[in-house]
Amino acid sequence: MSLTEEEQTALVTSDDPHHPANLICELCRNFYTLGWVTGTGGGISIKKEEHIYIAPSGVQKERLEPHNMFILNYPSLEYLRQPTNLKPSACTPLFLAAYDKGAGACIHTHSQWAVLVTLINKGKKSFKIANTEMIKGIPRPSTGKYYGYHDTLEIPIIENTAHEEDLRDSLAKAIKDYPDTSAVLVRRHGVYVWGDTVWKAKTQAECYDYLFQLAVEMTKLGLDPAGPIDPLEE
Ligand SMILES: CSCCC(=O)C(=O)COP(=O)(O)O
Ligand SMILES: [Zn+2]
């Protein structure tokens, strides 16, 4: 299905700040201040009905404008809009793996806390944390509820590749092997987080980042993030 130029422009033009083309720009500016999307890496994609909005690759994400957005039809994966002289984010195949799981938005961060948590879990295929309030912000699809305070949250870690797009198969396998997960850590690189809606994805990304930082700091203090509550604490 090819759209006229006017139809394509209409898909990225709106006064509504919640329109995906506007939200991606706003959220990337927000994520930039958190150190999640500096140096052009990282980003966010949003799905609105059958339209997937994707930012361009290799551009400063905090300077994006709505007319820079690519739009893919889902599930046909046909591009409805491709801005000239730009390439879609290299994360596109990874975002699609999250959409295949029913996500409404997917965030990729290069947060140093995400990177560090993969390094303190050297040689391990996952990161675990328990007995922490912020775990309660993470959904657990198998129960239809959220994780509880005393639950152990486990996030898979996959190995980085030279090119972002080559992560797709291992990310898809991690999603299959960890059906309760809504995030995949990429060693020495960052994290992918997805949610049913853009706001859920954002909340979860914030909770995960908090938990990654906490785990790094706990480990530095000789505490085990997945360990039991020490009775002497109370
Ligand atoms: C310095 S960024 C290296 C590539 C990367 O990790 C990444 O997330 C790229 O994303 P883009 O949307 O710019 O293709
Ligand atoms: Zn990346």
Side-chain angles (χ1 to χ4, degrees), residues 188-211:
R188 294 179 174 270
H189 182 156
V191 67
Y192 281 84
V193 179
W194 57 92
D196 293 347
T197 66
V198 60
W199 301 118
K200 287 185 180 178
K202 177 176 177 287
T203 304
Q204 287 160 217
E206 289 164 357
C207 290
Y208 280 120
D209 203 57
Y210 173 101
L211 293 166

Side-chain angles (χ1 to χ4, degrees), residues 29-63:
R29 284 193 290 275
N30 170 221
F31 296 162
Y32 179 80
T33 65
L34 298 173
W36 288 6
V37 299
T38 53
T40 77
I44 174 170
S45 165
I46 299 175
K47 182 169 175 283
K48 184 186 177 196
E49 292 150 13
E50 75 277 24
H51 296 152
I52 292 175
Y53 288 75
I54 293 166
S57 181
V59 303
Q60 298 196 327
K61 298 297 195 308
E62 74 282 13
R63 295 173 61 85

